[in-house]
């Protein structure tokens, strides 16, 4: 394998990778390449035919393909190289990337900077340990969406959806519009996992019940799914005896969470955050390995794609500075998620400029008080009418209020 030298390699041609590539090219970085394993770039957006994308980034409502096309068209205009049908197999700490391509065979590339934008994947039946037989008709929400929207194949006529993630909610509506019956959406948590607007538009508007604190306790069928057994769960998520209810159905769709795709990050020796499943990053979105950066759903799962693109554009600005200077400003001040907060990003900051914190609360709060403390004192306090785990909170933190290098803790009550 011949070694190809680049200024920057971007792994992933979805909304994060494309946004980062465009911003880098606009900043004057010429020698870049985007590696994408699919036949077409654009990521999961290509199969998201519903609208609601772009309200923050473009101030208009777009479908997923329309949103992706905005970036693809710009990438083509800027002559950004896209290596599609190319799979990155390994990222080394020295920023060497080993990949295999259908057209080019084995590839070995080395860059001064690497951007990780691989996105996320769905949790499967095996990941959550669902009991029962293994018939056809049990699919993740994203796979079901691909079958219907990309391949024009109907997946079933009587469905139950386990998990109230946004893709599952959207598929409840999509199946209904295609003539299928969606009996219910089951959610093991006491609160919904998706955005409130999707609860209203995809369930309430179509009379589809959302059963909170319920899960699947048995899957029945041989060749094809015949029914599932649902049950209410207690505070410890254990099924409540006597609460079982059978749903006759031929399709079970799983919308039980997303996992950042960080296998390549591990090959590079990057330190991961067990709370997010993504890399530990500083305010520049630089990982624990200098010169390797991470943004988008591979860093933490977002609720809106607009924030994926905006985050990647911010990352690209830092990469441009890194390529120019060979280093970035150090970020010695740690940020920690305290009481009521699931996680907060970035993990460290410099304290010399304004930074926008991204965080999620652990449970629904109405009203909600977000507080940032340092050395026992409050440096920032912000009230919200409500806060939901499904909705990411963005909190600007001005440099002037940070005192010294002691850690900052973010809490929510």
């Amino acid at each position: 394998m011949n070694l190809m030298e680049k200024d920057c390699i971007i792994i992933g041609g979805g909304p994060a990778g494309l946004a980062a590539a465009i911003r880098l090219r606009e900043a004057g970085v010429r020698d870049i390449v985007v590696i994408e394993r699919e036949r077409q770039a654009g990521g999961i957006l290509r199969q998201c035919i519903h609208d609601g994308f772009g309200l923050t980034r473009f101030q208009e409502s777009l479908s997923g393909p329309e949103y992706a096309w905005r970036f693809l068209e710009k990438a083509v205009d800027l002559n950004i190289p896209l290596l599609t049908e190319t799979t990155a197999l390994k990222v080394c700490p020295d920023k060497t990337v080993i990949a295999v391509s259908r057209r080019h065979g084995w590839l070995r590339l080395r860059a001064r900077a690497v951007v990780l934008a691989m996105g996320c994947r769905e949790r499967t039946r095996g990941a959550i340990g669902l009991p029962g037989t293994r018939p056809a008709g049990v699919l993740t929400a994203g796979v079901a969406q691909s079958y219907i929207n990309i391949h024009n194949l109907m997946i079933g006529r009587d469905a139950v959806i386990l998990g109230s993630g946004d893709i599952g909610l959207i598929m409840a509506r999509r199946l209904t519009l295609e003539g299928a019956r969606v009996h219910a959406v089951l959610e093991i948590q006491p609160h919904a996992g998706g955005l409130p607007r999707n609860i209203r538009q995809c369930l309430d508007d179509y009379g589809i019940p959302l059963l909170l604190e319920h899960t699947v306790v048995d899957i029945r069928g041989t060749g094809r799914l015949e029914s599932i057994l649902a049950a209410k769960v207690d505070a410890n998520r254990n099924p409540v005896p006597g609460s079982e209810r059978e749903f006759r159905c031929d399709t079970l769709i799983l919308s039980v969470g997303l996992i950042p795709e960080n296998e390549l990050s591990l090959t590079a020796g990057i330190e991961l955050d067990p709370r997010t499943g993504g890399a530990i990053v500083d305010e520049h979105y630089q990982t624990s390995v200098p010169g390797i950066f991470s943004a988008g759903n591979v860093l933490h799962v977002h609720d809106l794609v607009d924030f994926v693109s905006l985050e990647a554009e911010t990352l690209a600005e830092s990469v441009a500075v890194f390529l120019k200077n060979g280093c970035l400003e150090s970020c010695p001040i740690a940020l920690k998620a305290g009481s009521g907060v699931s996680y907060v990003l970035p993990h460290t900051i410099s304290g010399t400029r304004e930074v926008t914190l991204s965080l999620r609360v652990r449970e629904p709060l109405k009203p909600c008080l977000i507080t940032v403390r340092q050395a026992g004192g409050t440096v920032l306090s912000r009230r919200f009418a409500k806060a939901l785990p499904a909705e990411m909170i963005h909190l600007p933190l001005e440099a002037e209020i940070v005192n010294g290098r002691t850690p900052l803790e973010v809490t929510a009550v």
Side-chain angles (χ1 to χ4, degrees), residues 144-155 174 178:
Q145 187 181 59
S146 175
Y147 274 132
I148 294 177
N149 293 347
I150 297 290
H151 302 289
N152 197 32
L153 296 172
M154 191 58 182
I155 59 173
R174 187 75 177 92
E178 289 294 336

Side-chain angles (χ1 to χ4, degrees), residues 122-138:
E122 297 178 282
R123 282 193 173 89
T124 62
R125 174 182 177 175
I128 61 174
L130 282 183
T133 58
R134 300 186 62 84
V138 181

Side-chain angles (χ1 to χ4, degrees), residues 71-111:
F71 290 94
L72 282 167
E73 189 174 39
K74 187 71 171 178
V76 171
D77 289 344
L78 294 173
N79 295 315
I80 295 173
L82 297 173
L83 287 182
T84 57
E85 294 184 287
T86 303
T87 300
L89 301 175
K90 184 178 182 180
V91 178
C92 303
D94 67 352
K95 299 183 283 295
T96 297
V97 176
I98 307 298
V100 63
S101 168
R102 181 177 179 178
R103 292 192 300 266
H104 306 292
W106 287 94
L107 298 173
R108 184 166 171 256
L109 308 94
R110 181 180 296 154

Side-chain angles (χ1 to χ4, degrees), residues 271-333:
E271 187 177 359
L272 301 185
D273 182 346
R275 296 194 182 196
T276 63
I280 291 177
V281 296
D282 61 19
E283 68 182 39
H284 311 294
Y285 296 98
Q286 184 172 230
T287 69
S288 57
V289 178
I292 302 183
F293 300 77
S294 179
N297 284 339
V298 75
L299 179 61
H300 59 135
V301 177
H302 292 62
D303 49 348
L304 298 176
V305 71
D306 301 66
F307 296 134
V308 168
S309 302
L310 291 167
E311 185 175 272
E313 288 168 343
T314 301
L315 169 149
E317 292 167 2
S318 295
V319 173
V321 174
F322 176 85
L323 292 173
K324 180 180 178 180
N325 301 331
C327 63
L328 288 166
E329 183 180 18
S330 65
C331 297
I333 304 171

